[in-house]
Amino acid sequence: MLDLILSIFEYKLFWIHVIGLAVYYVYLKFVAFTYWQRKNVPHEKPVLIFGNILRSCLGLVSIGEDVKRNYDKFRDHPVHGIYMLSNPVLMVNDPELVRLVLVKEFSKFRDRGLYHNEKVDPLTANLFFLPGEKWKRLRSKLSPTFSSSKLKSIYPLIKEIGDELIKTVEKSIVNGNVVIEVKDLSSRYTTDTIVSMAFGFNCNTLKDPKSDFRKYGDMIVKKRPNIQLTFGMFSPELLTFLRIRLIDKVVYEFFIRVFSEMVNLRKKGNVKRDDVLNLLMQLVEKGYIGVNDEEIRKPISEYDETDRITLLEAYAQAFVFFFAGFETSSGTIAYALYELALHPEIQDRVRDEIRDLMDTSHGCSYENCVNRTKYLEMVINETLRKHPTSPFLNRICTEDCEFPSVNMNVQKGTKIMISASGIMRNSNFYPDPDKFDPERFSQENIDSRNPYTFLPFGQGPRSCIGIRLGMIQTKIALISLLSKFRCSPCLDTPVPLKYSPKSIVQVPDRGIPLRFERAR
Ligand code: HEM
């Protein structure tokens, strides 16, 4: 035995590892984890290797909650430091500094600094992940996809799936009521709507919960360790160096196959549809989305026809619309139903508004849905404030920038984070923040608040491109369900709600079961 131990100690590789680990320890302890101390920026004492996100790395809480916990400690400081693993990240807390980062000095904070690798992981070459000029080019090309006139033309497709949602609940009612897990129901609804818009067909997950889109959708957002995502967000260089994929190969192959099939069908002229796929194909074929759209301010002659996007780029955008659109909207629908079940008086008021709308000549038309559902909109905004599906925003500083109010020079390369969930539950901006109170979003109350305290879609030129689509999807689901059914808590409804520790998008852990019955 002694011989064995001695031979191990003689082994060269062993000593190389010991020395390597010792050097790494010294680097972490005396260099990496003293960054904020050296900068004189307030921060919480980090834990070796994990920094300030030990709990989320261990899978005890979601990463959004861990960041919010850290924000709550320093929320009265305009900025503070956090270590995401060993990466120092500057947390921007003061709403006026949030405005500076997201809007005033946008050109210096345009990028998110996230992992993307066009070669190893082609679907990451999408609007959400890409930096700099590549992002700018795509954003200006894709923006017309979400103009009012384009949304108006795809509205009937979403409405159709709203009708399917009613049928799904109706069919499952036995003896006057049924308990439904609403996060699953809303995910199936948003999967159907996004696939219908982005891929050009109805994948019918409302009818068939085991459809491939539901399976692969789940694989994108769940079943992956937080640490891998954390590396993707805060150490993208490491993933690039190790050539690690962020999007699983099976998911990649599935999306590419479905997309190619749909594009081929369109090319053969067998299917014609006014949807996002059609618009993406215009970008591939002509380089711009065109004709008869009063919202495209630039004359068509100013577009460069040679500046087309490739098919793979188009696939990556359809993928991000799916990924960014289905889990965010489905979470919002589920949280809204949850809060309405717990607050029946608010639910009745929403239903009255919807029924008044249905009695008007145009019923649930696009204009009525978008412009004449004021109280429903207040309810959705309050849901987004209390349960934001994207709990924090990321940016990276690409050019040195002064933060005059704190007398700080933010250096190029500094990673920035804004705890949207922390700010939106800060009692200084939203008194009694755990209370669900849609009145916070009356016009008068909105006007009295700093707009940079409401961040569910981000703010500024890099905010969510799908805001209006997300709102329409959410409204149609709620209009469809609440016009016909009343929902209430059942024995298994979790109070308070717990968020899934596995998902970077803030979704309920183990779902939200609610009781549905026909509304009188
Ligand atoms: C309730 C629904 C939604 C919520 C809460 C939401 C939230 C967000 C947030 C917080 C961001 C980051 C903003 C920032 O960094 O400042 C974002 C970006 C984005 N969202 Fe959404 N989103 C929703 C729906 C959608 C839909 C329906 C789509 C598309 C079909 C979409 C596509 C995107 C894309 C492509 C980006 C990246 C934009 C860019 O970097 O230029 N989102 N979203």
Side-chain angles (χ1 to χ4, degrees), residues 87-305:
N87 291 281
V89 177
L90 185 69
M91 298 276 297
V92 175
N93 306 331
D94 170 28
E96 276 312 305
L97 287 177
V98 171
R99 182 206 301 265
L100 186 139
V101 168
L102 299 182
V103 180
K104 277 198 204 155
E105 296 283 7
F106 174 72
S107 63
K108 297 175 182 166
F109 298 96
R110 189 171 57 179
D111 302 341
R112 295 205 169 87
L114 303 179
Y115 166 85
H116 64 98
N117 190 327
E118 282 147 80
K119 289 205 179 84
V120 177
D121 233 345
L123 294 183
T124 57
N126 65 53
L127 197 63
F128 195 89
F129 290 85
L130 282 176
E133 286 305 308
K134 288 184 180 170
W135 165 77
K136 198 173 160 199
R137 166 179 170 265
L138 273 175
R139 177 94 190 199
S140 78
K141 283 189 177 298
L142 292 168
S143 291
T145 315
F146 298 92
S147 67
S148 317
S149 59
K150 298 291 178 211
L151 290 178
K152 209 169 171 176
S153 65
I154 53 181
Y155 180 79
L157 300 177
I158 313 179
K159 184 75 190 37
E160 217 174 273
I161 295 164
D163 295 340
E164 196 57 50
L165 185 62
I166 297 177
K167 283 186 206 150
T168 308
V169 178
E170 186 66 57
K171 265 191 248 157
S172 53
I173 290 185
V174 191
N175 295 333
N177 72 71
V178 61
V179 169
I180 297 181
E181 200 286 87
V182 290
K183 177 61 182 66
D184 175 64
L185 181 74
S186 60
S187 293
R188 282 155 57 200
Y189 160 82
T190 53
T191 302
D192 284 358
T193 49
I194 294 280
V195 171
S196 171
M197 287 178 302
F199 292 80
F201 69 100
N202 191 347
C203 65
N204 273 326
T205 59
L206 275 171
K207 280 191 187 140
D208 171 18
K210 292 199 169 71
S211 106
D212 277 353
F213 269 96
R214 186 81 190 93
K215 182 172 117 194
Y216 289 107
D218 249 10
M219 277 177 83
I220 303 171
V221 288
K222 291 181 194 157
K223 298 184 189 111
R224 50 177 59 241
N226 263 345
I227 198 127
Q228 185 188 350
L229 285 170
T230 313
F231 272 119
M233 299 191 89
F234 300 102
S235 292
E237 310 78 17
L238 192 71
L239 288 196
T240 311
F241 176 71
L242 297 174
R243 296 174 70 83
I244 293 178
R245 277 173 170 272
L246 204 59
I247 297 160
D248 293 338
K249 197 154 179 266
V250 281
V251 174
Y252 166 81
E253 284 169 354
F254 170 73
F255 278 95
I256 294 288
R257 181 170 53 75
V258 174
F259 224 121
S260 320
E261 279 169 16
M262 294 323 293
V263 168
N264 287 338
L265 270 180
R266 297 278 164 114
K267 279 190 178 159
K268 282 184 198 151
N270 295 349
V271 184
K272 281 212 166 46
R273 247 169 153 236
D274 211 356
D275 56 17
V276 175
L277 181 64
N278 179 27
L279 303 175
L280 286 173
M281 284 177 68
Q282 287 187 42
L283 290 179
V284 174
E285 284 159 13
K286 298 191 290 196
Y288 60 84
I289 292 172
V291 297
N292 304 333
D293 190 339
E294 75 284 355
E295 284 185 55
I296 300 175
R297 302 263 173 254
K298 223 159 67 162
I300 294 293
S301 56
E302 281 180 28
Y303 285 90
D304 180 0
E305 280 209 29

Side-chain angles (χ1 to χ4, degrees), residues 112 127-128 135 139 324-325 328-329 390 395 456-458 462 464:
R112 295 205 169 87
L127 197 63
F128 195 89
W135 165 77
R139 177 94 190 199
T328 46
S329 303
S390 310
R395 295 291 186 270
F457 297 100
R462 198 138 192 192
C464 176

Side-chain angles (χ1 to χ4, degrees), residues 102 110 112 126-130 135 139 142 146 194 197-198 276 317-318 320-333 380 384 388-395 420 455-471 473-474:
L102 299 182
R110 189 171 57 179
R112 295 205 169 87
N126 65 53
L127 197 63
F128 195 89
F129 290 85
L130 282 176
W135 165 77
R139 177 94 190 199
L142 292 168
F146 298 92
I194 294 280
M197 287 178 302
V276 175
Q317 309 325 310
V320 80
F321 293 162
F322 176 72
F323 163 67
F326 100 93
E327 195 71 339
T328 46
S329 303
S330 66
T332 307
I333 295 164
I380 296 172
L384 287 162
T389 45
S390 310
F392 52 80
L393 309 174
N394 293 84
R395 295 291 186 270
L455 302 163
F457 297 100
Q459 289 266 10
R462 198 138 192 192
S463 61
C464 176
I465 197 171
I467 297 182
R468 286 192 287 182
L469 179 57
M471 283 303 268
Q473 261 184 319
T474 307

